[in-house]
């Protein structure tokens, strides 16, 4: 592999709410006292308007900060919780990111290795690619999974240029070892005994994959400075490090206490975290387990120092709000039958032909910039909105998603139906011109003021439960929370 | 240069149903209730009506589309009936259609009738409804109170007003309208309230609490109009004439462009200026005897009194708290209780406001009667502060 090919950039996203595990244990300990032993730390919890697609978009935006190439040839989207079985989920992400239609996309799924398998495939292919992985993981109330799991996303940009990390070697083992599974149309995972998973699974399959990787690439385990092992079973990663021969200091925090296990996204999240901490010359090994094992070894280059600043995993972890309301978590994940009121009965059907005609505007937040007078406007009309211009068909595409904005007016509405009342929304004024009435996301009660800086975020607008359609749009979130 | 509508059309008769939660009545019953009063007041037969305009805004809740429900209900003799809808200006728009028809000379006598039957949804507040295929894909999750509540945030920021001071002035507006509504037998809400009731009411859309929001009501109102000459010929004296009928509609500038800051209604300012010119009114604060403005929410009334040029910009709070707009004040506003207490059956509201002006100018307003009013102004607002229709109407003694 040439020196100019590798990982060009990384990005991460975690939902802001962090559910305190002690509140889960307090709620469910009467039924499953074993949960009390797991009642430490917090897990990232998707807001009602976040799913694997929206979180992947945000991680990808973070990844592309300051390094956006003119052309991205491929987008791979990995998740075991894609919102659609038949609709290209990556196509939604591509439209939101304005990647254009000359693009190869792939939804990767079916395994907790989906993220690393997508990354390995993109690296093997050798072209430019954006690999994103996101999960919104569901678990039954009072299950250990509810404690362990977390929601989040990570993204990596692959291609030629000045890579921040080059692939040293990769190996995949595929073994139909079913430590857990989720059948078609089932909302939750079904898992076998942890001791068996540890002894017959992790401790046998992972060393085999790592051994093959080291042998094929002619490298030594002792050269690894960051070992990313996304496993929340106790002591497994430590035992693996010892067996394979990693330095103890190489074992990276699996983030279990801070955000939980984000499934197929987690190996990439840990890799992004390692890249954020790494120095030139460091070696990062990322492994993923699930019906086999993917192992990828990277060497960090001097270019890491020149990567434009981004939120990364550290930023995502810091963008945090404690959540102690377990009932809210249950409601967001549709685990309790809330009386949502008659206003929630409003038909949310989406005219697909309308959505298609306006996909750039709705999914991409693209408005217009008048060639004649320079006025930015959203949405764009056939005539320029400037009364001194009013030119016909004079507007070029103007993406608004990355423009800064401030609050012009706002309210907190308890009348309108919202899964998380009160509904905050208001008029936002974009710094470069243009304004829109926007729903707000991730707002703290009583903390909104006119003039407050905002940033646009890709979110779920409505869930059409009657037809199984998720409708996406953009919302304004406080920039200070980013 | 057009000469405008001033004194070209007179009101021959008006009617208004009792507003409220009319659980025992259909929309059709309310229409008949208003029409019977209007017909008797006009002292004509239904066969003398040559054209009609019918206003309903949320027709899917009651009568359905078209002019047919009006013609069927009132048994109108195969005359032209046009159904109009223009958000909360719907009633006034029906009136404008009838007035323009008479002014044009196309007909001698025309009817405008508005109706809304809102209390068949099963829940409080305005009926939930879609905004159209594309709008539903990107518009924020806005309710009516949430839309107008934003005025308060922008107004406070612009004029550096403390939230509590603004809320107190808003409370005064609602207390005043409840005082007025209590004296109106046709009003929906006839209870008196206190400032602390308003301040402590449950929040609807910050900072609007329950008592900052107008009633959602069933009701109907109508007007029968003709030329002043025909009115006199029919034996009418002390005619109430139309002085101005203006409507301004947003074109996207507030929502998308320019220096609008969210604290006022650009449309109302335009419509008011044109109305004063059309009516020949140069100092409205002195010349207008009374107002019925679109107080869908307390904050709307507050900023509207600035937009109409009655209070100086940023000073409406002082006028409100000084009692300038109280029934006993210099220029009463919402003397019939307003949308707040008379109620707000959307299609009827503009005509209901004109009904009070008509009663006052005819000296028939009973306990609420003002001494010798000359000009009355009504105002409707439909939509959102950022994009809306705003109608401004002035009626007054013929020749004044």
């Amino acid at each position: 592999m040439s020196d100019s090919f590798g990982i060009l950039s990384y990005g991460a996203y975690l939902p802001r709410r962090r559910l305190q595990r002690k509140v889960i244990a307090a709620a469910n300990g009467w039924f499953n006292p074993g949960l009390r032993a797991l009642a430490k730390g917090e897990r990232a919890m998707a807001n009602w308007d976040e799913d694997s697609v929206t979180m992947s978009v945000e991680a990808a935006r973070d990844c592309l900060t300051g390094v956006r190439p003119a052309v991205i040839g491929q987008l791979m989207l990995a998740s075991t919780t894609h919102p659609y079985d038949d609709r290209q989920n990556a196509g939604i992400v591509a439209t939101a990111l304005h990647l254009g239609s000359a693009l190869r996309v792939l939804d990767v799924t079916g395994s907790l290795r989906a993220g690393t398998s997508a990354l390995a495939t993109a690296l093997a292919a050798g072209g430019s690619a954006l690999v994103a992985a996101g999960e919104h993981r569901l678990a039954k109330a009072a299950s250990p999974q509810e404690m362990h799991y977390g929601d989040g996303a990570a993204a990596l940009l692959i291609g030629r240029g000045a890579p921040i990390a080059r692939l040293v070697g990769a190996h995949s083992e595929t073994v139909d070892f079913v430590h857990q599974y989720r059948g078609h149309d089932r909302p939750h995972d079904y898992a076998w005994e942890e001791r068996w998973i540890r002894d017959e699974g992790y401790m046998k399959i992972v060393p085999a994959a790592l051994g093959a990787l080291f042998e094929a690439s002619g490298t030594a385990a002792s050269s690894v400075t960051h070992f990313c092992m996304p496993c929340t079973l106790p002591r497994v990663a430590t035992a693996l490090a010892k067996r394979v021969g990693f330095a103890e200091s190489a074992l990276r925090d699996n983030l279990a206490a801070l955000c939980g296990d984000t499934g197929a996204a987690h190996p990439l999240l840990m890799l992004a975290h390692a890249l954020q901490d790494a120095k030139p010359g460091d070696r990062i090994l990322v492994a993923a387990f699930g019906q086999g094992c993917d192992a990828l070894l990277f060497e960090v280059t001097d270019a890491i120092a020149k990567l434009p600043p981004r939120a990364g995993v550290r930023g995502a972890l810091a963008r945090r709000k404690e959540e102690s309301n377990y009932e809210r978590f249950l409601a967001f994940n549709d685990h309790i039958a809330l009386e949502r009121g008659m206003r929630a009965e409003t038909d949310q059907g989406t005219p697909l032909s309308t959505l298609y005609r306006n996909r750039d505007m709705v999914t991409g937040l693209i408005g217009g910039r008048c060639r004649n007078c320079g006025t930015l406007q959203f949405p764009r009309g056939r005539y320029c909105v400037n009364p001194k211009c009013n030119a016909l068909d004079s507007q070029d595409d103007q993406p608004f998603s990355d423009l800064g904005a401030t609050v012009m007016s706002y309210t907190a509405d308890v009348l309108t139906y919202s899964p998380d009342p009160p509904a905050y929304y208001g008029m936002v004024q974009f710094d470069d011109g243009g304004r829109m009435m926007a729903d707000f996301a991730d707002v703290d009660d009583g903390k909104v003021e006119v003039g407050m800086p905002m940033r646009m975020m890709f979110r779920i607008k409505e869930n059409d439960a009657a037809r199984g359609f998720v409708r996406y749009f953009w919302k304004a979130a406080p920039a200070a929370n980013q | 240069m057009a000469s405008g509508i001033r004194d070209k059309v007179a009101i021959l008769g008006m009617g208004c149903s009792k507003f409220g939660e009319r659980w025992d009545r259909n929309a059709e019953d309310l229409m008949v209730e208003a029409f019977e009063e209007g017909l008797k007041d006009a002292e004509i037969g239904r066969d003398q009506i040559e054209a009609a305009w019918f206003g309903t805004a949320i027709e899917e809740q009651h009568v359905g589309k078209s002019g047919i429900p009006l013609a069927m209900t009132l048994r109108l003799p195969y005359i032209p009936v046009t159904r109009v809808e223009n958000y909360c200006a719907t009633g006034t728009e029906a009136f404008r259609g009838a007035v323009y028809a008479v002014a044009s000379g196309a007909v001698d006598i025309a009817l405008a009738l508005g109706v809304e039957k809102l209390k068949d949804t099963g829940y409080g507040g305005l009926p939930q409804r879609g905004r159209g295929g594309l709008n539903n894909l990107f518009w924020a999750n806005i309710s009516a109170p949430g839309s107008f509540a934003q005025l308060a945030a922008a107004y406070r920021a612009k004029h550096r007003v403390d939230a509590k001071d603004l809320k107190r002035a808003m409370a005064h507006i609602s207390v005043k309208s409840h005082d007025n509504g209590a004296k109106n037998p046709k009003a929906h809400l006839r209870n008196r309230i206190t400032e602390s009731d308003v301040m402590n009411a449950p929040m609807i859309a910050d900072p609007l609490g329950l008592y900052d929001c107008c009633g959602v009501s069933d009701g109907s109102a109508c007007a029968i109009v003709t030329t002043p000459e025909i009115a006199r010929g029919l034996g009418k004296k002390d005619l109430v004439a139309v002085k101005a009928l203006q409507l301004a509609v947003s074109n996207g500038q507030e929502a998308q462009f320019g220096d609008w800051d969210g604290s006022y209604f650009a449309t109302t300012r335009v419509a008011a200026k044109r109305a004063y010119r059309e009516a020949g009114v140069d100092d409205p604060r002195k010349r207008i005897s009374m107002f019925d403005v679109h107080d869908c929410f307390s904050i709307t009334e507050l900023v509207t009194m600035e937009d109409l040029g009655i209070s100086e910009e940023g000073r409406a709070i002082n006028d409100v708290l000084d009692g300038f707009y109280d029934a006993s004040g210099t220029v009463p506003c919402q003397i019939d209780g307003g949308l707040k207490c008379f109620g707000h059956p959307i299609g009827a509201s503009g005509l209901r406001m004109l009904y009070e002006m008509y009663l006052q100018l005819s000296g028939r307003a009973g306990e609420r009667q003002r001494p010798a009013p000359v000009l009355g102004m009504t105002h409707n607002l439909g939509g959102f502060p950022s994009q809306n229709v705003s109608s401004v109407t002035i009626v007054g003694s013929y020749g004044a």
Side-chain angles (χ1 to χ4, degrees), chain A residues 188-336:
Chain A
H188 304 118
D189 300 332
Y190 189 89
W192 210 250
E193 187 185 357
E194 288 184 1
R195 297 171 63 82
W196 174 73
I197 297 169
R198 181 190 63 199
D199 295 346
E200 283 293 300
Y202 280 97
M203 294 311 293
K204 289 188 175 169
I205 298 171
V206 178
L210 299 189
L213 163 63
F214 291 131
E215 192 176 333
S217 59
T219 50
S222 58
S223 72
V224 171
T225 44
H226 303 268
F227 176 39
C228 304
M229 185 66 236
C231 174
T232 48
L233 295 182
R235 293 177 298 281
V236 167
T238 317
L240 279 170
K242 190 178 268 182
R243 176 168 306 178
V244 178
F246 296 134
E248 206 174 309
S249 60
L251 186 63
R252 287 199 63 88
D253 180 0
N254 65 4
L255 305 174
L258 301 176
C259 69
D261 179 353
T262 61
H266 212 61
L268 304 194
L269 196 72
M270 288 186 71
L271 171 58
H273 195 206
L275 286 166
Q276 198 161 20
D277 290 342
K279 304 179 301 295
D282 280 1
R283 286 195 163 194
I284 303 172
L285 193 144
V286 57
F289 179 79
Q291 294 84 58
C293 178
D294 289 330
L296 296 99
L297 180 60
F298 297 96
E299 185 166 291
V300 177
T301 74
D302 294 341
I304 192 89
K306 294 181 202 126
L307 188 69
R310 64 210 47 246
V313 176
R314 281 207 299 270
L317 287 169
R319 182 184 172 275
R320 166 185 174 276
K321 181 185 185 176
E322 271 190 32
E323 177 60 80
S324 297
N325 185 344
Y326 177 61
E327 286 78 4
R328 179 181 276 137
F329 173 76
L330 291 180
F332 283 6
N333 290 293
D334 229 358
H335 278 319
I336 45 174

Side-chain angles (χ1 to χ4, degrees), chain A residues 324-479:
Chain A
S324 297
N325 185 344
Y326 177 61
E327 286 78 4
R328 179 181 276 137
F329 173 76
L330 291 180
F332 283 6
N333 290 293
D334 229 358
H335 278 319
I336 45 174
L338 281 185
E339 171 53 60
R340 295 178 191 273
M342 287 186 188
R343 288 182 186 278
E345 295 170 8
T346 307
D347 193 319
Q348 299 293 352
T350 300
L352 296 178
S353 45
T354 310
L355 174 60
Y356 175 68
R357 273 198 307 279
N358 299 281
R359 62 194 183 282
D360 287 344
M361 166 194 159
V362 174
T363 312
L365 201 69
I366 287 177
R369 178 195 290 269
C370 181
R371 285 186 296 278
N372 199 34
C373 71
T375 298
L376 271 62
Q377 45 212 288
F378 185 92
R380 70 201 284 175
R382 295 288 301 278
Y383 295 106
C384 174
V385 70
N386 179 354
K388 293 191 175 126
C389 176
N390 286 162
L392 174 65
D393 293 336
S394 63
Q395 295 168 59
D396 292 328
D397 282 355
Q398 169 64 51
F400 278 77
S401 43
D402 290 330
L403 300 184
T406 53
V407 172
M408 234 176 97
S409 63
Y410 70 92
T411 189
D413 189 337
V414 294
L415 181 68
T416 195
Y417 169 69
S418 165
D420 188 27
Y424 280 88
Y425 53 81
M427 189 71 101
V428 295
Q429 168 76 48
F430 291 96
D431 301 341
D432 296 348
R435 58 178 76 118
M436 65 181 286
M437 187 71 74
D439 288 315
F440 292 174
D442 294 342
V443 166
D444 293 328
D445 278 332
K447 294 281 175 63
V448 186
E449 266 311 326
V450 170
M452 187 165 87
M454 304 294 269
R455 170 186 184 270
M456 301 311 291
M457 294 184 84
F458 190 68
R459 293 293 182 115
I460 293 171
K461 173 136 180 60
E462 314 277 2
N463 272 307
D464 178 8
R467 301 173 188 82
F469 194 80
V470 187
R471 187 194 295 164
Y472 299 96
F473 189 55
W474 295 78
K475 299 181 183 178

Side-chain angles (χ1 to χ4, degrees), chain B residues 131-206:
Chain B
R131 301 191 177 94
L134 179 56
N135 274 359
N136 283 343
L137 299 184
F138 78 96
W139 258 85
N141 180 18
I142 296 180
S143 71
S147 162
F148 286 84
Q150 295 175 58
L151 287 165
Y155 189 93
R156 282 202 294 113
K158 182 183 195 177
H159 298 295
R160 298 171 197 280
V161 181
D162 181 76
K164 279 208 182 91
D165 293 340
L166 182 57
K167 180 82 179 180
R168 194 162 294 117
M170 288 156 58
H172 186 102
I173 285 171
S174 295
V175 169
K176 168 265 296 168
S177 292
H178 272 264
D179 284 346
N180 295 348
K183 292 182 186 167
N184 192 336
K186 287 187 174 177
H188 178 173
L189 303 169
R190 304 199 59 203
N191 58 321
R192 289 194 163 83
I193 58 169
T194 66
E195 187 181 291
S196 83
D197 290 337
V198 185
M199 304 287 277
N200 298 315
M203 195 59 81
I204 303 294
D206 185 49

